[in-house]
Short mmCIF file of all heavy atoms in Angstrom, two decimals:
data_model
loop_
_atom_site.label_atom_id
_atom_site.label_comp_id
_atom_site.label_asym_id
_atom_site.label_seq_id
_atom_site.Cartn_x
_atom_site.Cartn_y
_atom_site.Cartn_z
N MET A 1 244.90 10.92 107.20
CA MET A 1 246.23 11.34 106.84
C MET A 1 246.31 12.86 106.80
O MET A 1 247.31 13.43 107.18
CB MET A 1 246.57 10.71 105.48
CG MET A 1 247.98 10.90 105.10
SD MET A 1 249.04 10.01 106.21
CE MET A 1 250.39 9.71 105.20
N LEU A 2 245.24 13.46 106.34
CA LEU A 2 245.21 14.92 106.27
C LEU A 2 245.31 15.55 107.66
O LEU A 2 245.99 16.56 107.83
CB LEU A 2 243.94 15.39 105.56
CG LEU A 2 243.78 16.88 105.37
CD1 LEU A 2 244.89 17.40 104.46
CD2 LEU A 2 242.43 17.20 104.79
N LEU A 3 244.67 14.91 108.65
CA LEU A 3 244.74 15.43 110.01
C LEU A 3 246.17 15.37 110.56
O LEU A 3 246.60 16.26 111.28
CB LEU A 3 243.80 14.66 110.93
CG LEU A 3 242.31 14.89 110.70
CD1 LEU A 3 241.50 13.96 111.58
CD2 LEU A 3 241.94 16.32 110.96
N LEU A 4 246.89 14.31 110.21
CA LEU A 4 248.29 14.21 110.65
C LEU A 4 249.13 15.35 110.05
O LEU A 4 249.94 15.98 110.75
CB LEU A 4 248.89 12.87 110.23
CG LEU A 4 248.42 11.66 110.99
CD1 LEU A 4 248.92 10.39 110.32
CD2 LEU A 4 248.86 11.71 112.41
N ILE A 5 248.93 15.61 108.79
CA ILE A 5 249.70 16.66 108.13
C ILE A 5 249.33 18.03 108.69
O ILE A 5 250.22 18.85 108.96
CB ILE A 5 249.47 16.60 106.60
CG1 ILE A 5 250.08 15.31 106.05
CG2 ILE A 5 250.06 17.81 105.90
CD1 ILE A 5 249.70 15.01 104.62
N LEU A 6 248.04 18.27 108.89
CA LEU A 6 247.62 19.55 109.46
C LEU A 6 248.16 19.75 110.88
O LEU A 6 248.58 20.85 111.24
CB LEU A 6 246.10 19.66 109.46
CG LEU A 6 245.43 19.83 108.10
CD1 LEU A 6 243.92 19.79 108.24
CD2 LEU A 6 245.89 21.12 107.46
N GLY A 7 248.16 18.69 111.66
CA GLY A 7 248.72 18.79 113.02
C GLY A 7 250.21 19.07 112.99
O GLY A 7 250.71 19.88 113.78
N TRP A 8 250.92 18.44 112.09
CA TRP A 8 252.36 18.66 111.98
C TRP A 8 252.66 20.09 111.55
O TRP A 8 253.57 20.73 112.08
CB TRP A 8 252.96 17.66 111.01
CG TRP A 8 254.42 17.82 110.79
CD1 TRP A 8 255.39 17.85 111.75
CD2 TRP A 8 255.08 17.99 109.54
NE1 TRP A 8 256.62 18.01 111.16
CE2 TRP A 8 256.45 18.10 109.81
CE3 TRP A 8 254.65 18.03 108.23
CZ2 TRP A 8 257.38 18.27 108.79
CZ3 TRP A 8 255.58 18.20 107.23
CH2 TRP A 8 256.94 18.31 107.52
N ILE A 9 251.90 20.58 110.59
CA ILE A 9 252.11 21.95 110.12
C ILE A 9 251.83 22.96 111.23
O ILE A 9 252.56 23.94 111.38
CB ILE A 9 251.23 22.23 108.88
CG1 ILE A 9 251.76 21.45 107.69
CG2 ILE A 9 251.17 23.72 108.56
CD1 ILE A 9 250.85 21.48 106.48
N SER A 10 250.80 22.71 112.03
CA SER A 10 250.46 23.68 113.07
C SER A 10 251.47 23.72 114.21
O SER A 10 251.61 24.74 114.87
CB SER A 10 249.06 23.41 113.62
OG SER A 10 249.06 22.26 114.41
N VAL A 11 252.20 22.63 114.47
CA VAL A 11 253.19 22.65 115.55
C VAL A 11 254.61 22.90 115.05
O VAL A 11 255.52 23.06 115.85
CB VAL A 11 253.18 21.32 116.36
CG1 VAL A 11 251.84 21.09 116.98
CG2 VAL A 11 253.62 20.15 115.54
N SER A 12 254.81 22.97 113.76
CA SER A 12 256.18 23.04 113.23
C SER A 12 256.90 24.32 113.63
O SER A 12 258.11 24.32 113.81
CB SER A 12 256.16 22.90 111.71
OG SER A 12 255.48 23.98 111.12
N GLY A 13 256.21 25.43 113.80
CA GLY A 13 256.89 26.68 114.12
C GLY A 13 256.85 27.05 115.59
O GLY A 13 257.33 28.10 115.99
N GLU A 14 256.28 26.20 116.43
CA GLU A 14 256.11 26.52 117.86
C GLU A 14 257.15 25.78 118.69
O GLU A 14 257.37 24.59 118.51
CB GLU A 14 254.71 26.10 118.32
CG GLU A 14 253.58 26.70 117.52
CD GLU A 14 253.48 28.21 117.62
OE1 GLU A 14 253.91 28.77 118.64
OE2 GLU A 14 252.99 28.83 116.66
N ALA A 15 257.76 26.52 119.62
CA ALA A 15 258.79 25.91 120.47
C ALA A 15 258.23 25.43 121.80
O ALA A 15 258.68 24.42 122.34
CB ALA A 15 259.91 26.91 120.71
N ALA A 16 257.24 26.10 122.34
CA ALA A 16 256.69 25.75 123.65
C ALA A 16 255.61 24.69 123.51
O ALA A 16 254.82 24.69 122.56
CB ALA A 16 256.11 26.98 124.32
N PHE A 17 255.56 23.79 124.48
CA PHE A 17 254.58 22.71 124.45
C PHE A 17 253.16 23.24 124.50
O PHE A 17 252.27 22.70 123.86
CB PHE A 17 254.82 21.73 125.60
CG PHE A 17 253.83 20.61 125.64
CD1 PHE A 17 253.87 19.58 124.72
CD2 PHE A 17 252.84 20.59 126.61
CE1 PHE A 17 252.94 18.56 124.75
CE2 PHE A 17 251.91 19.56 126.65
CZ PHE A 17 251.97 18.55 125.72
N ASP A 18 252.93 24.28 125.28
CA ASP A 18 251.59 24.85 125.40
C ASP A 18 251.07 25.35 124.06
O ASP A 18 249.87 25.30 123.80
CB ASP A 18 251.56 25.98 126.43
CG ASP A 18 251.76 25.47 127.85
OD1 ASP A 18 251.49 24.28 128.09
OD2 ASP A 18 252.20 26.26 128.70
N ASP A 19 251.94 25.82 123.22
CA ASP A 19 251.54 26.30 121.90
C ASP A 19 251.33 25.16 120.92
O ASP A 19 250.72 25.34 119.86
CB ASP A 19 252.61 27.26 121.34
CG ASP A 19 252.79 28.49 122.20
OD1 ASP A 19 251.82 28.87 122.90
OD2 ASP A 19 253.90 29.05 122.19
N GLN A 20 251.82 23.98 121.25
CA GLN A 20 251.72 22.83 120.34
C GLN A 20 250.55 21.90 120.67
O GLN A 20 250.27 20.98 119.90
CB GLN A 20 253.00 22.01 120.41
CG GLN A 20 254.22 22.72 119.90
CD GLN A 20 255.47 21.89 120.07
OE1 GLN A 20 255.46 20.85 120.72
NE2 GLN A 20 256.56 22.34 119.48
N GLN A 21 249.85 22.13 121.75
CA GLN A 21 248.83 21.19 122.20
C GLN A 21 247.69 21.00 121.21
O GLN A 21 247.27 19.87 120.96
CB GLN A 21 248.27 21.60 123.55
CG GLN A 21 249.15 21.17 124.69
CD GLN A 21 248.53 21.48 126.02
OE1 GLN A 21 247.92 22.52 126.19
NE2 GLN A 21 248.67 20.58 126.95
N SER A 22 247.18 22.06 120.62
CA SER A 22 246.04 21.90 119.70
C SER A 22 246.48 21.11 118.45
O SER A 22 245.76 20.23 117.98
CB SER A 22 245.46 23.24 119.32
OG SER A 22 246.44 24.02 118.65
N GLY A 23 247.66 21.42 117.93
CA GLY A 23 248.15 20.68 116.77
C GLY A 23 248.44 19.24 117.10
O GLY A 23 248.20 18.33 116.28
N LEU A 24 248.96 19.00 118.29
CA LEU A 24 249.23 17.63 118.73
C LEU A 24 247.93 16.84 118.86
O LEU A 24 247.87 15.67 118.46
CB LEU A 24 249.99 17.65 120.06
CG LEU A 24 250.43 16.32 120.63
CD1 LEU A 24 251.38 15.63 119.67
CD2 LEU A 24 251.09 16.52 121.98
N ASN A 25 246.89 17.47 119.39
CA ASN A 25 245.60 16.80 119.50
C ASN A 25 245.04 16.45 118.12
O ASN A 25 244.47 15.37 117.93
CB ASN A 25 244.61 17.67 120.27
CG ASN A 25 244.96 17.76 121.74
OD1 ASN A 25 245.60 16.88 122.28
ND2 ASN A 25 244.54 18.84 122.38
N ILE A 26 245.20 17.34 117.17
CA ILE A 26 244.74 17.07 115.81
C ILE A 26 245.51 15.89 115.21
O ILE A 26 244.94 15.00 114.59
CB ILE A 26 244.89 18.32 114.93
CG1 ILE A 26 243.90 19.39 115.37
CG2 ILE A 26 244.69 17.99 113.45
CD1 ILE A 26 244.12 20.73 114.71
N ALA A 27 246.83 15.86 115.43
CA ALA A 27 247.66 14.78 114.89
C ALA A 27 247.31 13.44 115.55
O ALA A 27 247.27 12.41 114.87
CB ALA A 27 249.13 15.10 115.09
N ILE A 28 247.04 13.44 116.84
CA ILE A 28 246.66 12.21 117.53
C ILE A 28 245.32 11.71 117.02
O ILE A 28 245.14 10.51 116.79
CB ILE A 28 246.65 12.42 119.05
CG1 ILE A 28 248.07 12.59 119.57
CG2 ILE A 28 245.94 11.28 119.77
CD1 ILE A 28 248.16 13.00 121.02
N LEU A 29 244.38 12.62 116.81
CA LEU A 29 243.10 12.23 116.24
C LEU A 29 243.28 11.63 114.85
O LEU A 29 242.68 10.61 114.52
CB LEU A 29 242.16 13.44 116.17
CG LEU A 29 240.81 13.19 115.53
CD1 LEU A 29 240.00 12.22 116.36
CD2 LEU A 29 240.08 14.50 115.34
N GLY A 30 244.14 12.23 114.05
CA GLY A 30 244.42 11.70 112.73
C GLY A 30 245.03 10.31 112.79
O GLY A 30 244.68 9.43 112.00
N ALA A 31 245.95 10.10 113.72
CA ALA A 31 246.58 8.79 113.87
C ALA A 31 245.55 7.74 114.28
O ALA A 31 245.57 6.61 113.79
CB ALA A 31 247.71 8.85 114.88
N LEU A 32 244.64 8.11 115.17
CA LEU A 32 243.60 7.18 115.59
C LEU A 32 242.67 6.82 114.43
O LEU A 32 242.29 5.65 114.27
CB LEU A 32 242.79 7.76 116.75
CG LEU A 32 243.52 7.82 118.08
CD1 LEU A 32 242.67 8.53 119.12
CD2 LEU A 32 243.87 6.43 118.56
N VAL A 33 242.32 7.79 113.63
CA VAL A 33 241.46 7.53 112.47
C VAL A 33 242.17 6.58 111.51
O VAL A 33 241.56 5.64 110.99
CB VAL A 33 241.07 8.85 111.77
CG1 VAL A 33 240.44 8.59 110.42
CG2 VAL A 33 240.15 9.67 112.65
N VAL A 34 243.45 6.80 111.27
CA VAL A 34 244.21 5.93 110.37
C VAL A 34 244.29 4.51 110.94
O VAL A 34 244.07 3.53 110.21
CB VAL A 34 245.63 6.49 110.14
CG1 VAL A 34 246.52 5.47 109.48
CG2 VAL A 34 245.56 7.75 109.30
N LEU A 35 244.56 4.36 112.22
CA LEU A 35 244.65 3.03 112.83
C LEU A 35 243.32 2.30 112.81
O LEU A 35 243.27 1.09 112.53
CB LEU A 35 245.17 3.15 114.26
CG LEU A 35 246.64 3.53 114.39
CD1 LEU A 35 247.01 3.75 115.85
CD2 LEU A 35 247.53 2.47 113.77
N ILE A 36 242.24 3.00 113.07
CA ILE A 36 240.92 2.37 113.02
C ILE A 36 240.60 1.94 111.59
O ILE A 36 240.08 0.84 111.36
CB ILE A 36 239.85 3.32 113.58
CG1 ILE A 36 240.02 3.46 115.10
CG2 ILE A 36 238.44 2.84 113.25
CD1 ILE A 36 239.19 4.56 115.71
N GLY A 37 240.94 2.78 110.63
CA GLY A 37 240.71 2.41 109.23
C GLY A 37 241.51 1.20 108.82
O GLY A 37 241.00 0.32 108.11
N CYS A 38 242.76 1.13 109.24
CA CYS A 38 243.60 -0.02 108.90
C CYS A 38 243.07 -1.30 109.57
O CYS A 38 243.06 -2.36 108.95
CB CYS A 38 245.04 0.23 109.33
SG CYS A 38 245.89 1.42 108.31
N GLY A 39 242.65 -1.19 110.81
CA GLY A 39 242.08 -2.35 111.50
C GLY A 39 240.83 -2.86 110.82
O GLY A 39 240.64 -4.06 110.65
N PHE A 40 239.96 -1.93 110.42
CA PHE A 40 238.74 -2.32 109.71
C PHE A 40 239.08 -2.99 108.38
O PHE A 40 238.48 -4.00 108.01
CB PHE A 40 237.85 -1.09 109.48
CG PHE A 40 236.59 -1.40 108.74
CD1 PHE A 40 235.57 -2.09 109.36
CD2 PHE A 40 236.44 -1.01 107.42
CE1 PHE A 40 234.40 -2.39 108.67
CE2 PHE A 40 235.29 -1.30 106.73
CZ PHE A 40 234.26 -1.99 107.36
N TYR A 41 240.05 -2.43 107.66
CA TYR A 41 240.46 -3.00 106.38
C TYR A 41 240.99 -4.43 106.58
O TYR A 41 240.63 -5.33 105.83
CB TYR A 41 241.53 -2.12 105.74
CG TYR A 41 242.10 -2.71 104.48
CD1 TYR A 41 241.40 -2.70 103.30
CD2 TYR A 41 243.36 -3.31 104.49
CE1 TYR A 41 241.92 -3.26 102.14
CE2 TYR A 41 243.89 -3.87 103.34
CZ TYR A 41 243.16 -3.84 102.17
OH TYR A 41 243.69 -4.40 101.05
N LEU A 42 241.84 -4.63 107.57
CA LEU A 42 242.38 -5.97 107.82
C LEU A 42 241.29 -6.96 108.22
O LEU A 42 241.31 -8.12 107.81
CB LEU A 42 243.47 -5.91 108.89
CG LEU A 42 244.77 -5.25 108.47
CD1 LEU A 42 245.71 -5.12 109.67
CD2 LEU A 42 245.43 -6.02 107.36
N PHE A 43 240.34 -6.51 109.02
CA PHE A 43 239.23 -7.37 109.43
C PHE A 43 238.41 -7.81 108.21
O PHE A 43 238.11 -8.99 108.05
CB PHE A 43 238.34 -6.63 110.43
CG PHE A 43 237.11 -7.37 110.82
CD1 PHE A 43 237.19 -8.47 111.67
CD2 PHE A 43 235.87 -7.00 110.34
CE1 PHE A 43 236.05 -9.17 112.03
CE2 PHE A 43 234.73 -7.68 110.69
CZ PHE A 43 234.82 -8.78 111.54
N MET A 44 238.08 -6.86 107.34
CA MET A 44 237.29 -7.19 106.16
C MET A 44 238.09 -8.05 105.18
O MET A 44 237.55 -8.96 104.56
CB MET A 44 236.81 -5.91 105.47
CG MET A 44 235.84 -5.11 106.31
SD MET A 44 234.43 -6.05 106.88
CE MET A 44 233.55 -6.28 105.36
N PHE A 45 239.38 -7.80 105.05
CA PHE A 45 240.22 -8.60 104.16
C PHE A 45 240.31 -10.03 104.65
O PHE A 45 240.24 -10.97 103.87
CB PHE A 45 241.62 -7.97 104.07
CG PHE A 45 242.51 -8.64 103.07
CD1 PHE A 45 242.28 -8.50 101.71
CD2 PHE A 45 243.59 -9.40 103.49
CE1 PHE A 45 243.10 -9.12 100.78
CE2 PHE A 45 244.42 -10.01 102.58
CZ PHE A 45 244.17 -9.88 101.22
N ARG A 46 240.42 -10.21 105.95
CA ARG A 46 240.49 -11.56 106.51
C ARG A 46 239.19 -12.32 106.26
O ARG A 46 239.21 -13.51 105.93
CB ARG A 46 240.79 -11.49 108.00
CG ARG A 46 240.94 -12.84 108.61
CD ARG A 46 241.37 -12.78 110.03
NE ARG A 46 241.36 -14.12 110.56
CZ ARG A 46 241.99 -14.49 111.62
NH1 ARG A 46 242.71 -13.63 112.28
NH2 ARG A 46 241.93 -15.72 112.04
N ARG A 47 238.05 -11.64 106.40
CA ARG A 47 236.77 -12.29 106.13
C ARG A 47 236.67 -12.70 104.66
O ARG A 47 236.18 -13.78 104.33
CB ARG A 47 235.61 -11.37 106.48
CG ARG A 47 235.47 -11.18 107.98
CD ARG A 47 234.30 -10.35 108.32
NE ARG A 47 233.09 -11.08 107.98
CZ ARG A 47 231.90 -10.51 107.83
NH1 ARG A 47 231.76 -9.23 108.01
NH2 ARG A 47 230.86 -11.24 107.53
N ARG A 48 237.17 -11.86 103.76
CA ARG A 48 237.14 -12.18 102.32
C ARG A 48 238.01 -13.40 102.03
O ARG A 48 237.62 -14.28 101.26
CB ARG A 48 237.61 -10.99 101.52
CG ARG A 48 237.66 -11.27 100.04
CD ARG A 48 238.14 -10.08 99.28
NE ARG A 48 237.01 -9.18 99.07
CZ ARG A 48 237.13 -7.99 98.53
NH1 ARG A 48 238.31 -7.52 98.19
NH2 ARG A 48 236.07 -7.25 98.34
N ILE A 49 239.19 -13.46 102.65
CA ILE A 49 240.08 -14.62 102.46
C ILE A 49 239.41 -15.89 102.98
O ILE A 49 239.49 -16.95 102.34
CB ILE A 49 241.43 -14.38 103.16
CG1 ILE A 49 242.18 -13.25 102.49
CG2 ILE A 49 242.28 -15.65 103.19
CD1 ILE A 49 242.63 -13.53 101.09
N GLN A 50 238.74 -15.80 104.13
CA GLN A 50 238.06 -16.99 104.67
C GLN A 50 236.98 -17.48 103.72
O GLN A 50 236.83 -18.69 103.52
CB GLN A 50 237.45 -16.67 106.03
CG GLN A 50 238.47 -16.55 107.13
CD GLN A 50 237.84 -16.12 108.44
OE1 GLN A 50 236.69 -15.69 108.49
NE2 GLN A 50 238.61 -16.23 109.52
N ARG A 51 236.22 -16.58 103.11
CA ARG A 51 235.18 -16.99 102.15
C ARG A 51 235.81 -17.66 100.94
O ARG A 51 235.30 -18.67 100.44
CB ARG A 51 234.36 -15.79 101.72
CG ARG A 51 233.34 -15.34 102.73
CD ARG A 51 232.31 -14.42 102.12
NE ARG A 51 232.91 -13.26 101.49
CZ ARG A 51 232.99 -12.06 102.05
NH1 ARG A 51 232.51 -11.87 103.26
NH2 ARG A 51 233.55 -11.05 101.41
N ARG A 52 236.91 -17.12 100.46
CA ARG A 52 237.58 -17.72 99.30
C ARG A 52 238.15 -19.09 99.63
O ARG A 52 238.10 -20.01 98.82
CB ARG A 52 238.68 -16.80 98.78
CG ARG A 52 238.12 -15.57 98.11
CD ARG A 52 239.23 -14.71 97.58
NE ARG A 52 238.69 -13.50 96.98
CZ ARG A 52 239.42 -12.54 96.47
NH1 ARG A 52 240.74 -12.64 96.49
NH2 ARG A 52 238.87 -11.48 95.95
N MET A 53 238.70 -19.22 100.82
CA MET A 53 239.24 -20.52 101.24
C MET A 53 238.12 -21.56 101.32
O MET A 53 238.30 -22.71 100.94
CB MET A 53 239.97 -20.40 102.57
CG MET A 53 241.26 -19.62 102.51
SD MET A 53 242.53 -20.44 101.57
CE MET A 53 242.90 -21.79 102.65
N ARG A 54 236.96 -21.16 101.85
CA ARG A 54 235.82 -22.07 101.90
C ARG A 54 235.39 -22.50 100.51
O ARG A 54 235.06 -23.66 100.28
CB ARG A 54 234.64 -21.42 102.63
CG ARG A 54 234.61 -21.78 104.07
CD ARG A 54 233.32 -21.32 104.71
NE ARG A 54 233.70 -20.55 105.88
CZ ARG A 54 233.41 -19.30 106.12
NH1 ARG A 54 232.65 -18.62 105.29
NH2 ARG A 54 233.84 -18.70 107.19
N ALA A 55 235.39 -21.55 99.57
CA ALA A 55 234.99 -21.87 98.20
C ALA A 55 235.99 -22.83 97.56
O ALA A 55 235.60 -23.77 96.85
CB ALA A 55 234.89 -20.60 97.38
N VAL A 56 237.28 -22.63 97.82
CA VAL A 56 238.30 -23.53 97.26
C VAL A 56 238.16 -24.92 97.87
O VAL A 56 238.19 -25.93 97.16
CB VAL A 56 239.71 -22.96 97.49
CG1 VAL A 56 240.78 -23.99 97.20
CG2 VAL A 56 239.92 -21.72 96.66
N ARG A 57 237.98 -24.99 99.18
CA ARG A 57 237.81 -26.30 99.83
C ARG A 57 236.56 -27.00 99.32
O ARG A 57 236.57 -28.22 99.11
CB ARG A 57 237.73 -26.13 101.34
CG ARG A 57 239.03 -25.81 101.99
CD ARG A 57 238.90 -25.74 103.50
NE ARG A 57 240.11 -25.20 104.08
CZ ARG A 57 240.14 -24.24 104.99
NH1 ARG A 57 239.03 -23.73 105.45
NH2 ARG A 57 241.30 -23.80 105.44
N SER A 58 235.50 -26.22 99.13
CA SER A 58 234.27 -26.81 98.62
C SER A 58 234.44 -27.37 97.22
O SER A 58 233.94 -28.44 96.91
CB SER A 58 233.17 -25.73 98.63
OG SER A 58 232.00 -26.23 98.04
N SER A 59 235.18 -26.65 96.39
CA SER A 59 235.37 -27.15 95.02
C SER A 59 236.35 -28.32 94.97
O SER A 59 236.21 -29.20 94.14
CB SER A 59 235.86 -26.02 94.10
OG SER A 59 237.16 -25.62 94.49
N VAL A 60 237.31 -28.37 95.88
CA VAL A 60 238.28 -29.47 95.88
C VAL A 60 237.70 -30.72 96.53
O VAL A 60 237.82 -31.82 96.00
CB VAL A 60 239.59 -29.04 96.61
CG1 VAL A 60 240.50 -30.22 96.85
CG2 VAL A 60 240.30 -27.97 95.80
N PHE A 61 237.06 -30.56 97.68
CA PHE A 61 236.57 -31.70 98.44
C PHE A 61 235.13 -32.05 98.08
O PHE A 61 234.62 -33.09 98.50
CB PHE A 61 236.69 -31.47 99.94
CG PHE A 61 238.13 -31.33 100.38
CD1 PHE A 61 238.57 -30.15 100.97
CD2 PHE A 61 239.03 -32.34 100.20
CE1 PHE A 61 239.87 -30.01 101.37
CE2 PHE A 61 240.35 -32.21 100.61
CZ PHE A 61 240.78 -31.04 101.18
N GLY A 62 234.43 -31.19 97.40
CA GLY A 62 233.09 -31.49 96.96
C GLY A 62 231.99 -31.14 97.94
O GLY A 62 230.81 -31.26 97.63
N GLU A 63 232.33 -30.77 99.14
CA GLU A 63 231.30 -30.38 100.11
C GLU A 63 231.91 -29.41 101.11
O GLU A 63 233.11 -29.30 101.25
CB GLU A 63 230.74 -31.60 100.84
CG GLU A 63 231.78 -32.37 101.64
CD GLU A 63 231.20 -33.60 102.28
OE1 GLU A 63 230.64 -34.44 101.57
OE2 GLU A 63 231.30 -33.70 103.50
N GLU A 64 231.05 -28.74 101.80
CA GLU A 64 231.47 -27.75 102.81
C GLU A 64 232.01 -28.46 104.04
O GLU A 64 231.39 -29.39 104.56
CB GLU A 64 230.27 -26.87 103.19
CG GLU A 64 230.61 -25.76 104.14
CD GLU A 64 231.31 -24.61 103.44
OE1 GLU A 64 231.23 -24.50 102.22
OE2 GLU A 64 231.95 -23.84 104.15
N GLU A 65 233.19 -28.04 104.51
CA GLU A 65 233.78 -28.60 105.72
C GLU A 65 233.67 -27.62 106.84
O GLU A 65 233.88 -26.44 106.68
CB GLU A 65 235.24 -28.95 105.51
CG GLU A 65 235.46 -30.14 104.61
CD GLU A 65 236.91 -30.57 104.66
OE1 GLU A 65 237.62 -30.17 105.58
OE2 GLU A 65 237.30 -31.31 103.77
N ASP A 66 233.33 -28.07 108.05
CA ASP A 66 233.25 -27.20 109.22
C ASP A 66 234.31 -27.54 110.23
O ASP A 66 234.74 -28.57 110.42
CB ASP A 66 231.87 -27.28 109.87
CG ASP A 66 230.81 -26.61 109.00
OD1 ASP A 66 231.14 -25.63 108.32
OD2 ASP A 66 229.68 -27.11 109.00
#
C-alpha cells in the first residue's frame, strides 16, 4: 500500500508521461504486491475453512469422509 501512495505522490505534480514513468512503475509494483498478498490470504483462508468443515463433518458423522 505504501508503494501505491509513494507512486501517486511522485506523479501528482508531473504533466508529461516521461516524467511520470518512475512513479508509475512504483505504483504498479505496489499494486502487484497487494494483489499477491490478497491471493495468498484467500488461499490460506480457504484451506482453513476446508479443515474446519472436515472437523465438523467428522464430529457430526463420526468418521472422516473423502
Side-chain angles (χ1 to χ4, degrees):
M1 189 66 153
L2 182 64
L3 290 174
L4 288 171
I5 293 170
L6 289 175
W8 178 54
I9 289 171
S10 73
V11 300
S12 64
E14 305 295 333
F17 179 73
D18 291 337
D19 298 333
Q20 295 177 350
Q21 279 185 320
S22 61
L24 184 61
N25 290 334
I26 291 171
I28 290 172
L29 177 65
L32 288 174
V33 168
V34 167
L35 289 174
I36 289 169
C38 287
F40 179 72
Y41 174 76
L42 289 174
F43 175 74
M44 295 306 289
F45 186 71
R46 183 174 175 160
R47 289 183 68 198
R48 178 181 277 174
I49 295 293
Q50 287 175 347
R51 283 196 304 260
R52 289 182 182 178
M53 291 293 290
R54 265 190 232 120
V56 168
R57 287 183 190 132
S58 175
S59 67
V60 169
F61 296 119
E63 61 183 56
E64 184 77 18
E65 289 191 17
D66 289 326

